[in-house]
Amino acid sequence: MHVSLPQDLPPNAFYRVSAKALCIARGGLLVIEDQFGGFELPGGGVDWGEDPVDALARELKEELGVTAHIDPVPCGCTTYRFDASKLYAFHWTFVLFFRATCDSHQFKHSPESLSAHVVPFEDLSRLNWTAPALGEYLARSEFLFVRSKR
C-alpha cells in the first residue's frame, strides 16, 4: 500500500508510535479524560528502543497508578494524522492496541489523566475524543473482534 503525504506537510512534522490499552470491563471500554477535556484510551508513546508492551505498562502506571496483565500480541492497529498544536507540532500517530486487564480499578489520577471511566461500547462514538480519528476507529465494525473475544 502506498500512502502519499500531503504537500503542505510542516517541516516539524513527525511520526509517533503509541501503545494503547483495550481494557474491557462491565460491558464497556476503559477511557481516560485528559487535561484538555477530551477522551483517550490509556497508554501513550513508545520511547526509542522500548518494547511496546513495556511502554504500555509504564504508561498505565504513570497515568492511572495501576499494573495490568497485557496480552503481548497486538489485537489491532491504526494510523492517523493528529494536530497536537496545543502540545507541540502536527504529527502522524501509529497506534498498536493491546488487550489488558487492570489489576485494580482504584485509579490514581495524574496531570495526563484527570479521570477514568468505563464507557459502554454503544456510547464510544459520542465521546469528545482528543484524536477524533481514534474514536472513529473504535466505532468501526473491525473493532468488534476485540469485544467478541471476551
Side-chain angles (χ1 to χ4, degrees):
M1 176 172 86
H2 175 73
V3 175
S4 58
L5 293 174
Q7 295 301 314
D8 61 343
L9 193 64
N12 61 347
F14 64 96
Y15 218 102
R16 183 73 169 144
V17 177
S18 182
K20 297 288 185 177
L22 296 175
C23 299
I24 299 171
R26 301 185 308 268
L29 188 65
L30 179 66
V31 299
I32 59 172
E33 185 175 0
D34 66 20
Q35 68 267 38
F36 302 110
F39 289 88
E40 259 291 354
L41 290 176
V46 178
D47 293 335
W48 180 257
E50 188 176 30
D51 179 274
V53 173
D54 294 340
L56 183 53
R58 174 181 51 76
E59 289 284 349
L60 289 169
K61 190 71 169 166
E62 288 173 6
E63 291 177 354
L64 298 171
V66 296
T67 57
H69 169 74
I70 301 167
D71 185 335
V73 178
C75 59
C77 66
T78 191
T79 187
Y80 56 84
R81 182 178 170 165
F82 185 64
D83 179 5
S85 54
K86 292 179 243 177
L87 297 172
Y88 22 78
F90 154 88
H91 67 272
W92 290 88
T93 301
F94 176 76
V95 181
L96 289 167
F97 297 100
F98 295 89
R99 288 187 193 91
T101 305
C102 294
D103 295 336
S104 166
H105 285 138
Q106 299 297 316
F107 301 119
K108 172 188 83 171
H109 304 294
S110 70
E112 294 176 38
S113 162
L114 302 181
S115 63
H117 313 273
V118 174
V119 175
F121 296 116
E122 60 272 11
D123 294 339
L124 291 173
S125 63
R126 296 186 192 111
L127 294 179
N128 174 30
W129 291 94
T130 300
L134 181 59
E136 292 165 13
Y137 175 81
L138 294 173
R140 288 199 315 251
S141 61
E142 61 253 48
F143 183 64
L144 292 174
F145 75 94
V146 176
R147 285 183 250 166
S148 66
K149 299 271 185 182
R150 293 272 181 212

PDB file of all heavy atoms in Angstrom, residues 30-42 63-64 107-119:
ATOM      1  N   LEU A  30     -12.529   0.994  29.074  1.00  0.00           N
ATOM      2  CA  LEU A  30     -11.931   1.987  29.958  1.00  0.00           C
ATOM      3  C   LEU A  30     -11.350   3.119  29.122  1.00  0.00           C
ATOM      4  O   LEU A  30     -10.556   2.886  28.204  1.00  0.00           O
ATOM      5  CB  LEU A  30     -10.831   1.353  30.807  1.00  0.00           C
ATOM      6  CG  LEU A  30     -10.095   2.296  31.758  1.00  0.00           C
ATOM      7  CD1 LEU A  30     -11.028   2.811  32.847  1.00  0.00           C
ATOM      8  CD2 LEU A  30      -8.889   1.599  32.354  1.00  0.00           C
ATOM      9  N   VAL A  31     -11.757   4.348  29.416  1.00  0.00           N
ATOM     10  CA  VAL A  31     -11.215   5.533  28.758  1.00  0.00           C
ATOM     11  C   VAL A  31     -10.793   6.519  29.837  1.00  0.00           C
ATOM     12  O   VAL A  31     -11.265   6.455  30.980  1.00  0.00           O
ATOM     13  CB  VAL A  31     -12.232   6.203  27.799  1.00  0.00           C
ATOM     14  CG1 VAL A  31     -12.636   5.254  26.696  1.00  0.00           C
ATOM     15  CG2 VAL A  31     -13.441   6.722  28.544  1.00  0.00           C
ATOM     16  N   ILE A  32      -9.888   7.400  29.467  1.00  0.00           N
ATOM     17  CA  ILE A  32      -9.471   8.440  30.396  1.00  0.00           C
ATOM     18  C   ILE A  32      -9.844   9.808  29.828  1.00  0.00           C
ATOM     19  O   ILE A  32      -9.894   9.994  28.613  1.00  0.00           O
ATOM     20  CB  ILE A  32      -7.955   8.385  30.700  1.00  0.00           C
ATOM     21  CG1 ILE A  32      -7.116   8.539  29.433  1.00  0.00           C
ATOM     22  CG2 ILE A  32      -7.598   7.112  31.441  1.00  0.00           C
ATOM     23  CD1 ILE A  32      -5.628   8.694  29.695  1.00  0.00           C
ATOM     24  N   GLU A  33     -10.127  10.730  30.728  1.00  0.00           N
ATOM     25  CA  GLU A  33     -10.341  12.118  30.323  1.00  0.00           C
ATOM     26  C   GLU A  33      -9.009  12.832  30.514  1.00  0.00           C
ATOM     27  O   GLU A  33      -8.421  12.792  31.600  1.00  0.00           O
ATOM     28  CB  GLU A  33     -11.423  12.768  31.177  1.00  0.00           C
ATOM     29  CG  GLU A  33     -11.759  14.169  30.725  1.00  0.00           C
ATOM     30  CD  GLU A  33     -12.908  14.784  31.488  1.00  0.00           C
ATOM     31  OE1 GLU A  33     -13.464  14.125  32.398  1.00  0.00           O
ATOM     32  OE2 GLU A  33     -13.252  15.931  31.188  1.00  0.00           O
ATOM     33  N   ASP A  34      -8.529  13.466  29.444  1.00  0.00           N
ATOM     34  CA  ASP A  34      -7.214  14.095  29.523  1.00  0.00           C
ATOM     35  C   ASP A  34      -7.290  15.552  29.972  1.00  0.00           C
ATOM     36  O   ASP A  34      -8.374  16.083  30.220  1.00  0.00           O
ATOM     37  CB  ASP A  34      -6.455  13.957  28.199  1.00  0.00           C
ATOM     38  CG  ASP A  34      -7.094  14.724  27.055  1.00  0.00           C
ATOM     39  OD1 ASP A  34      -7.885  15.647  27.288  1.00  0.00           O
ATOM     40  OD2 ASP A  34      -6.794  14.381  25.894  1.00  0.00           O
ATOM     41  N   GLN A  35      -6.136  16.180  30.064  1.00  0.00           N
ATOM     42  CA  GLN A  35      -6.045  17.542  30.580  1.00  0.00           C
ATOM     43  C   GLN A  35      -6.697  18.577  29.668  1.00  0.00           C
ATOM     44  O   GLN A  35      -6.888  19.720  30.063  1.00  0.00           O
ATOM     45  CB  GLN A  35      -4.580  17.923  30.865  1.00  0.00           C
ATOM     46  CG  GLN A  35      -3.694  18.055  29.636  1.00  0.00           C
ATOM     47  CD  GLN A  35      -2.954  16.781  29.279  1.00  0.00           C
ATOM     48  OE1 GLN A  35      -3.475  15.683  29.389  1.00  0.00           O
ATOM     49  NE2 GLN A  35      -1.724  16.925  28.827  1.00  0.00           N
ATOM     50  N   PHE A  36      -7.081  18.195  28.456  1.00  0.00           N
ATOM     51  CA  PHE A  36      -7.727  19.123  27.523  1.00  0.00           C
ATOM     52  C   PHE A  36      -9.240  18.929  27.476  1.00  0.00           C
ATOM     53  O   PHE A  36      -9.923  19.546  26.677  1.00  0.00           O
ATOM     54  CB  PHE A  36      -7.141  18.963  26.123  1.00  0.00           C
ATOM     55  CG  PHE A  36      -5.655  19.180  26.087  1.00  0.00           C
ATOM     56  CD1 PHE A  36      -4.801  18.119  25.860  1.00  0.00           C
ATOM     57  CD2 PHE A  36      -5.115  20.437  26.310  1.00  0.00           C
ATOM     58  CE1 PHE A  36      -3.431  18.307  25.847  1.00  0.00           C
ATOM     59  CE2 PHE A  36      -3.743  20.640  26.306  1.00  0.00           C
ATOM     60  CZ  PHE A  36      -2.897  19.571  26.075  1.00  0.00           C
ATOM     61  N   GLY A  37      -9.760  18.022  28.328  1.00  0.00           N
ATOM     62  CA  GLY A  37     -11.196  17.781  28.350  1.00  0.00           C
ATOM     63  C   GLY A  37     -11.671  16.786  27.312  1.00  0.00           C
ATOM     64  O   GLY A  37     -12.862  16.578  27.149  1.00  0.00           O
ATOM     65  N   GLY A  38     -10.740  16.159  26.621  1.00  0.00           N
ATOM     66  CA  GLY A  38     -11.083  15.134  25.631  1.00  0.00           C
ATOM     67  C   GLY A  38     -10.871  13.754  26.219  1.00  0.00           C
ATOM     68  O   GLY A  38     -10.365  13.599  27.336  1.00  0.00           O
ATOM     69  N   PHE A  39     -11.268  12.746  25.471  1.00  0.00           N
ATOM     70  CA  PHE A  39     -11.126  11.368  25.933  1.00  0.00           C
ATOM     71  C   PHE A  39     -10.082  10.633  25.106  1.00  0.00           C
ATOM     72  O   PHE A  39      -9.885  10.910  23.934  1.00  0.00           O
ATOM     73  CB  PHE A  39     -12.468  10.639  25.868  1.00  0.00           C
ATOM     74  CG  PHE A  39     -13.414  11.125  26.918  1.00  0.00           C
ATOM     75  CD1 PHE A  39     -14.251  12.204  26.675  1.00  0.00           C
ATOM     76  CD2 PHE A  39     -13.443  10.530  28.171  1.00  0.00           C
ATOM     77  CE1 PHE A  39     -15.107  12.679  27.653  1.00  0.00           C
ATOM     78  CE2 PHE A  39     -14.294  10.998  29.154  1.00  0.00           C
ATOM     79  CZ  PHE A  39     -15.130  12.071  28.894  1.00  0.00           C
ATOM     80  N   GLU A  40      -9.413   9.700  25.752  1.00  0.00           N
ATOM     81  CA  GLU A  40      -8.340   8.902  25.180  1.00  0.00           C
ATOM     82  C   GLU A  40      -8.413   7.508  25.755  1.00  0.00           C
ATOM     83  O   GLU A  40      -9.012   7.302  26.807  1.00  0.00           O
ATOM     84  CB  GLU A  40      -6.987   9.494  25.590  1.00  0.00           C
ATOM     85  CG  GLU A  40      -6.276  10.330  24.582  1.00  0.00           C
ATOM     86  CD  GLU A  40      -5.761   9.558  23.385  1.00  0.00           C
ATOM     87  OE1 GLU A  40      -5.841   8.317  23.333  1.00  0.00           O
ATOM     88  OE2 GLU A  40      -5.280  10.216  22.474  1.00  0.00           O
ATOM     89  N   LEU A  41      -7.746   6.583  25.113  1.00  0.00           N
ATOM     90  CA  LEU A  41      -7.516   5.273  25.713  1.00  0.00           C
ATOM     91  C   LEU A  41      -6.280   5.389  26.590  1.00  0.00           C
ATOM     92  O   LEU A  41      -5.380   6.188  26.298  1.00  0.00           O
ATOM     93  CB  LEU A  41      -7.268   4.219  24.640  1.00  0.00           C
ATOM     94  CG  LEU A  41      -8.463   3.823  23.787  1.00  0.00           C
ATOM     95  CD1 LEU A  41      -8.024   2.849  22.696  1.00  0.00           C
ATOM     96  CD2 LEU A  41      -9.564   3.210  24.628  1.00  0.00           C
ATOM     97  N   PRO A  42      -6.208   4.613  27.671  1.00  0.00           N
ATOM     98  CA  PRO A  42      -4.984   4.630  28.473  1.00  0.00           C
ATOM     99  C   PRO A  42      -3.813   4.135  27.633  1.00  0.00           C
ATOM    100  O   PRO A  42      -3.958   3.223  26.823  1.00  0.00           O
ATOM    101  CB  PRO A  42      -5.277   3.665  29.620  1.00  0.00           C
ATOM    102  CG  PRO A  42      -6.692   3.240  29.491  1.00  0.00           C
ATOM    103  CD  PRO A  42      -7.211   3.705  28.175  1.00  0.00           C
ATOM    104  N   GLU A  63      -0.179   7.018  34.248  1.00  0.00           N
ATOM    105  CA  GLU A  63      -1.467   7.689  34.074  1.00  0.00           C
ATOM    106  C   GLU A  63      -2.498   7.325  35.139  1.00  0.00           C
ATOM    107  O   GLU A  63      -3.281   8.165  35.559  1.00  0.00           O
ATOM    108  CB  GLU A  63      -2.067   7.367  32.699  1.00  0.00           C
ATOM    109  CG  GLU A  63      -1.315   7.971  31.545  1.00  0.00           C
ATOM    110  CD  GLU A  63      -1.885   7.574  30.199  1.00  0.00           C
ATOM    111  OE1 GLU A  63      -2.804   6.735  30.122  1.00  0.00           O
ATOM    112  OE2 GLU A  63      -1.389   8.122  29.192  1.00  0.00           O
ATOM    113  N   LEU A  64      -2.521   6.029  35.525  1.00  0.00           N
ATOM    114  CA  LEU A  64      -3.590   5.548  36.398  1.00  0.00           C
ATOM    115  C   LEU A  64      -3.108   4.929  37.706  1.00  0.00           C
ATOM    116  O   LEU A  64      -3.917   4.587  38.560  1.00  0.00           O
ATOM    117  CB  LEU A  64      -4.456   4.531  35.648  1.00  0.00           C
ATOM    118  CG  LEU A  64      -5.172   5.070  34.409  1.00  0.00           C
ATOM    119  CD1 LEU A  64      -5.819   3.936  33.634  1.00  0.00           C
ATOM    120  CD2 LEU A  64      -6.201   6.103  34.806  1.00  0.00           C
ATOM    121  N   PHE A 107      -8.159   3.839  40.571  1.00  0.00           N
ATOM    122  CA  PHE A 107      -7.218   4.583  39.755  1.00  0.00           C
ATOM    123  C   PHE A 107      -6.719   5.825  40.467  1.00  0.00           C
ATOM    124  O   PHE A 107      -7.484   6.549  41.091  1.00  0.00           O
ATOM    125  CB  PHE A 107      -7.880   4.986  38.429  1.00  0.00           C
ATOM    126  CG  PHE A 107      -8.364   3.813  37.636  1.00  0.00           C
ATOM    127  CD1 PHE A 107      -9.712   3.678  37.332  1.00  0.00           C
ATOM    128  CD2 PHE A 107      -7.494   2.840  37.211  1.00  0.00           C
ATOM    129  CE1 PHE A 107     -10.173   2.601  36.604  1.00  0.00           C
ATOM    130  CE2 PHE A 107      -7.942   1.747  36.481  1.00  0.00           C
ATOM    131  CZ  PHE A 107      -9.278   1.630  36.190  1.00  0.00           C
ATOM    132  N   LYS A 108      -5.427   6.042  40.358  1.00  0.00           N
ATOM    133  CA  LYS A 108      -4.793   7.271  40.830  1.00  0.00           C
ATOM    134  C   LYS A 108      -4.686   8.159  39.595  1.00  0.00           C
ATOM    135  O   LYS A 108      -4.234   7.712  38.548  1.00  0.00           O
ATOM    136  CB  LYS A 108      -3.397   6.958  41.373  1.00  0.00           C
ATOM    137  CG  LYS A 108      -2.577   8.175  41.719  1.00  0.00           C
ATOM    138  CD  LYS A 108      -1.161   7.787  42.061  1.00  0.00           C
ATOM    139  CE  LYS A 108      -0.390   7.633  40.757  1.00  0.00           C
ATOM    140  NZ  LYS A 108       1.023   7.471  40.884  1.00  0.00           N
ATOM    141  N   HIS A 109      -5.124   9.380  39.698  1.00  0.00           N
ATOM    142  CA  HIS A 109      -5.105  10.242  38.527  1.00  0.00           C
ATOM    143  C   HIS A 109      -3.813  11.045  38.482  1.00  0.00           C
ATOM    144  O   HIS A 109      -3.116  11.191  39.482  1.00  0.00           O
ATOM    145  CB  HIS A 109      -6.349  11.120  38.516  1.00  0.00           C
ATOM    146  CG  HIS A 109      -7.593  10.280  38.564  1.00  0.00           C
ATOM    147  ND1 HIS A 109      -7.953   9.450  37.530  1.00  0.00           N
ATOM    148  CD2 HIS A 109      -8.502  10.085  39.528  1.00  0.00           C
ATOM    149  CE1 HIS A 109      -9.051   8.802  37.860  1.00  0.00           C
ATOM    150  NE2 HIS A 109      -9.402   9.159  39.071  1.00  0.00           N
ATOM    151  N   SER A 110      -3.502  11.537  37.297  1.00  0.00           N
ATOM    152  CA  SER A 110      -2.258  12.258  37.069  1.00  0.00           C
ATOM    153  C   SER A 110      -2.559  13.505  36.249  1.00  0.00           C
ATOM    154  O   SER A 110      -3.692  13.692  35.800  1.00  0.00           O
ATOM    155  CB  SER A 110      -1.292  11.345  36.306  1.00  0.00           C
ATOM    156  OG  SER A 110      -1.770  11.159  34.979  1.00  0.00           O
ATOM    157  N   PRO A 111      -1.572  14.336  35.998  1.00  0.00           N
ATOM    158  CA  PRO A 111      -1.810  15.503  35.135  1.00  0.00           C
ATOM    159  C   PRO A 111      -2.295  15.103  33.736  1.00  0.00           C
ATOM    160  O   PRO A 111      -3.005  15.853  33.087  1.00  0.00           O
ATOM    161  CB  PRO A 111      -0.448  16.187  35.070  1.00  0.00           C
ATOM    162  CG  PRO A 111       0.240  15.776  36.322  1.00  0.00           C
ATOM    163  CD  PRO A 111      -0.232  14.376  36.590  1.00  0.00           C
ATOM    164  N   GLU A 112      -1.920  13.911  33.274  1.00  0.00           N
ATOM    165  CA  GLU A 112      -2.346  13.434  31.952  1.00  0.00           C
ATOM    166  C   GLU A 112      -3.737  12.807  31.989  1.00  0.00           C
ATOM    167  O   GLU A 112      -4.397  12.722  30.974  1.00  0.00           O
ATOM    168  CB  GLU A 112      -1.369  12.383  31.433  1.00  0.00           C
ATOM    169  CG  GLU A 112       0.010  12.886  31.150  1.00  0.00           C
ATOM    170  CD  GLU A 112       0.925  11.749  30.729  1.00  0.00           C
ATOM    171  OE1 GLU A 112       0.473  10.848  30.012  1.00  0.00           O
ATOM    172  OE2 GLU A 112       2.094  11.779  31.142  1.00  0.00           O
ATOM    173  N   SER A 113      -4.154  12.334  33.136  1.00  0.00           N
ATOM    174  CA  SER A 113      -5.406  11.593  33.265  1.00  0.00           C
ATOM    175  C   SER A 113      -6.221  12.168  34.420  1.00  0.00           C
ATOM    176  O   SER A 113      -5.977  11.850  35.572  1.00  0.00           O
ATOM    177  CB  SER A 113      -5.078  10.121  33.528  1.00  0.00           C
ATOM    178  OG  SER A 113      -6.174   9.435  34.050  1.00  0.00           O
ATOM    179  N   LEU A 114      -7.198  13.019  34.081  1.00  0.00           N
ATOM    180  CA  LEU A 114      -7.995  13.656  35.131  1.00  0.00           C
ATOM    181  C   LEU A 114      -9.001  12.704  35.749  1.00  0.00           C
ATOM    182  O   LEU A 114      -9.334  12.807  36.918  1.00  0.00           O
ATOM    183  CB  LEU A 114      -8.713  14.877  34.564  1.00  0.00           C
ATOM    184  CG  LEU A 114      -7.812  15.953  33.955  1.00  0.00           C
ATOM    185  CD1 LEU A 114      -8.643  17.121  33.460  1.00  0.00           C
ATOM    186  CD2 LEU A 114      -6.770  16.419  34.965  1.00  0.00           C
ATOM    187  N   SER A 115      -9.520  11.776  34.941  1.00  0.00           N
ATOM    188  CA  SER A 115     -10.464  10.784  35.451  1.00  0.00           C
ATOM    189  C   SER A 115     -10.485   9.591  34.509  1.00  0.00           C
ATOM    190  O   SER A 115     -10.024   9.675  33.375  1.00  0.00           O
ATOM    191  CB  SER A 115     -11.871  11.384  35.579  1.00  0.00           C
ATOM    192  OG  SER A 115     -12.364  11.776  34.317  1.00  0.00           O
ATOM    193  N   ALA A 116     -11.015   8.483  35.008  1.00  0.00           N
ATOM    194  CA  ALA A 116     -11.134   7.260  34.206  1.00  0.00           C
ATOM    195  C   ALA A 116     -12.566   6.763  34.305  1.00  0.00           C
ATOM    196  O   ALA A 116     -13.184   6.858  35.370  1.00  0.00           O
ATOM    197  CB  ALA A 116     -10.168   6.196  34.728  1.00  0.00           C
ATOM    198  N   HIS A 117     -13.085   6.279  33.187  1.00  0.00           N
ATOM    199  CA  HIS A 117     -14.469   5.815  33.125  1.00  0.00           C
ATOM    200  C   HIS A 117     -14.551   4.560  32.268  1.00  0.00           C
ATOM    201  O   HIS A 117     -13.829   4.439  31.282  1.00  0.00           O
ATOM    202  CB  HIS A 117     -15.381   6.857  32.446  1.00  0.00           C
ATOM    203  CG  HIS A 117     -15.210   8.240  32.939  1.00  0.00           C
ATOM    204  ND1 HIS A 117     -15.882   8.728  34.029  1.00  0.00           N
ATOM    205  CD2 HIS A 117     -14.432   9.256  32.502  1.00  0.00           C
ATOM    206  CE1 HIS A 117     -15.532   9.984  34.228  1.00  0.00           C
ATOM    207  NE2 HIS A 117     -14.652  10.324  33.326  1.00  0.00           N
ATOM    208  N   VAL A 118     -15.472   3.658  32.631  1.00  0.00           N
ATOM    209  CA  VAL A 118     -15.818   2.558  31.731  1.00  0.00           C
ATOM    210  C   VAL A 118     -17.033   3.040  30.952  1.00  0.00           C
ATOM    211  O   VAL A 118     -18.073   3.344  31.530  1.00  0.00           O
ATOM    212  CB  VAL A 118     -16.123   1.250  32.489  1.00  0.00           C
ATOM    213  CG1 VAL A 118     -16.612   0.175  31.530  1.00  0.00           C
ATOM    214  CG2 VAL A 118     -14.876   0.782  33.239  1.00  0.00           C
ATOM    215  N   VAL A 119     -16.867   3.154  29.635  1.00  0.00           N
ATOM    216  CA  VAL A 119     -17.917   3.684  28.765  1.00  0.00           C
ATOM    217  C   VAL A 119     -18.522   2.535  27.971  1.00  0.00           C
ATOM    218  O   VAL A 119     -17.780   1.750  27.364  1.00  0.00           O
ATOM    219  CB  VAL A 119     -17.334   4.755  27.808  1.00  0.00           C
ATOM    220  CG1 VAL A 119     -18.380   5.238  26.817  1.00  0.00           C
ATOM    221  CG2 VAL A 119     -16.769   5.919  28.611  1.00  0.00           C
TER     222      VAL A 119
END
